[in-house]
Amino acid sequence: MKVFLLTLVPLLPVLVLAQSAQAPMPDVPTLLREVEEHQHALDQVRENYTYHETTITHELDKNGKIKKSSSEEAEVFFVNTHEIRRKIKKDGKPLSSDEQQKEQQRVQKAVEKAIQDPPGQSANKNQVSVSRLLQLMKVSAPRREQMDGRSVLVFDFTGDPHAKTHGAEEAALKKISGTVWVDEQDRQVRRMTATFDDNFHLGFGLFSVGKGSRFTFDQKLINNELWLPTGAQIHLVAHALGVLGWRGDVQITDDDYQKFHVDASQQSGATVVHESGRRPPERRPSE
């Protein structure tokens, strides 16, 4: 018996993986509802985190060569479930005193607005959630894969021409196709890639996102507690009336996740301190 057990133990990961691979795929509409429900459940946990975000933009010529580059660094945090970004560097240089003051005033207004806005509803009316995006899609080729040692549910999607949409932004999403990876255990989107299959016009035809524009979005589990972005890659082809197409590559990197010490002193407006000892951006607690 002992020899049998010693032989079986090394095979357990393989057996578990094989069993998982044979399990039936979940119903996609049910899966999407679970993804949305899990995200709402984590919204309050996000209030306790901040992270650093670097955005590098390369403007390209018609041959795909870099014409000009710029960068921006920001600290991201959440108030009343709403994301707030505070810019701290531009092209690798810290903001000047005047720029810092203007940015702090802008951030303070954003915080005050976030406190007033209903939680769970984006202040940006043009923003569409991942779960809503997938509701406008037709999915195919469901399968399982391994990513970061975790089981993920994978399926391809294309815009559903018969899906009911609200507003130009949702209508635009019906012109994309791609692939999504959902963490099977936590029901969170691990990765998404999408490509615009046709031009989409905005602003009464004065501006359009060009066919071939594409993006990739990634996030991961932080401290075995919360899923947060790790970055994104965007290739954008844009057209404006009377202007030649603009092409650019945007690389977004998120890192340096920090957790706040949360205690009763927050309620009196005291500054919260990271576990690392750093001070976060000035903010007020959600009500």
Side-chain angles (χ1 to χ4, degrees):
M1 178 61 72
K2 182 177 180 180
V3 174
F4 173 75
L5 291 175
L6 290 174
T7 303
L8 179 61
V9 168
L11 295 177
L12 284 177
V14 177
L15 294 174
V16 171
L17 179 59
Q19 184 178 21
S20 175
Q22 295 173 1
M25 293 290 292
D27 174 66
V28 172
T30 301
L31 175 64
L32 296 182
R33 285 196 299 271
E34 292 173 346
V35 168
E36 188 168 8
E37 290 169 359
H38 283 216
Q39 183 58 57
H40 289 329
L42 291 176
D43 280 346
Q44 295 302 320
V45 181
R46 293 197 310 175
E47 303 278 325
N48 301 331
Y49 275 85
T50 184
Y51 58 90
H52 182 268
E53 183 169 276
T54 302
T55 302
I56 300 176
T57 302
H58 298 303
E59 185 177 347
L60 309 176
D61 63 19
K62 62 180 180 180
N63 298 316
K65 294 184 178 180
I66 298 175
K67 295 197 305 182
K68 183 173 65 174
S69 296
S70 62
S71 67
E72 182 177 298
E73 296 181 41
E75 192 163 21
V76 182
F77 61 102
F78 301 87
V79 174
N80 201 22
T81 76
H82 303 299
E83 180 182 294
I84 308 291
R85 300 178 75 259
R86 182 175 71 89
K87 183 165 62 175
I88 55 178
K89 286 186 179 182
K90 179 68 175 178
D91 294 328
K93 299 178 180 179
L95 302 185
S96 66
S97 297
D98 289 343
E99 290 172 331
Q100 289 181 30
Q101 184 176 4
K102 290 180 181 179
E103 181 66 2
Q104 190 57 43
Q105 291 173 350
R106 185 195 65 80
V107 169
Q108 187 59 40
K109 289 181 180 179
V111 168
E112 292 171 355
K113 186 176 189 306
I115 291 173
Q116 297 300 322
D117 287 337
Q121 296 183 17
S122 174
N124 180 2
K125 296 182 179 180
N126 297 329
Q127 183 174 328
V128 181
S129 68
V130 171
S131 57
R132 176 56 180 155
L133 182 154
L134 295 176
Q135 290 171 6
L136 305 175
M137 301 294 136
K138 294 190 297 184
V139 300
S140 61
R143 55 202 184 270
R144 278 187 175 85
E145 294 180 4
Q146 289 287 305
M147 186 175 289
D148 303 328
R150 297 171 66 94
S151 176
V152 289
L153 306 171
V154 190
F155 48 89
D156 302 325
F157 61 86
T158 58
D160 182 356
H162 303 295
K164 294 183 179 180
T165 58
H166 303 284
E169 290 73 26
E170 289 193 0
L173 297 178
K174 293 168 63 173
K175 295 189 176 185
I176 67 175
S177 61
T179 303
V180 64
W181 290 256
V182 176
D183 185 85
E184 185 165 13
Q185 177 178 325
D186 287 1
R187 294 299 202 255
Q188 290 285 337
V189 174
R190 170 62 180 83
R191 173 176 295 166
M192 174 180 284
T193 63
T195 301
F196 270 83
D197 300 320
D198 198 358
N199 296 328
F200 179 76
H201 299 284
L202 296 170
F204 303 100
L206 299 179
F207 173 78
S208 68
V209 177
K211 179 180 179 179
S213 297
R214 59 186 182 273
F215 68 85
T216 298
F217 163 81
D218 282 280
Q219 62 176 5
K220 69 177 182 180
L221 182 62
I222 306 298
N223 296 336
N224 289 318
E225 180 182 35
L226 177 67
W227 287 79
L228 287 171
T230 59
Q233 296 180 0
I234 304 168
H235 175 71
L236 180 63
V237 179
H239 304 282
L241 187 63
V243 180
L244 294 176
W246 185 93
R247 292 175 172 82
D249 286 333
V250 182
Q251 174 71 50
I252 301 173
T253 303
D254 299 303
D255 54 20
D256 194 20
Y257 308 93
Q258 301 288 340
K259 189 175 183 180
F260 300 121
H261 282 307
V262 181
D263 54 39
S265 64
Q266 270 189 275
Q267 304 305 320
S268 63
T271 302
V272 186
V273 179
H274 286 138
E275 289 182 350
S276 64
R278 294 189 333 182
R279 291 179 180 271
E282 292 182 11
R283 56 173 287 185
R284 291 168 55 191
S286 57
E287 297 180 337

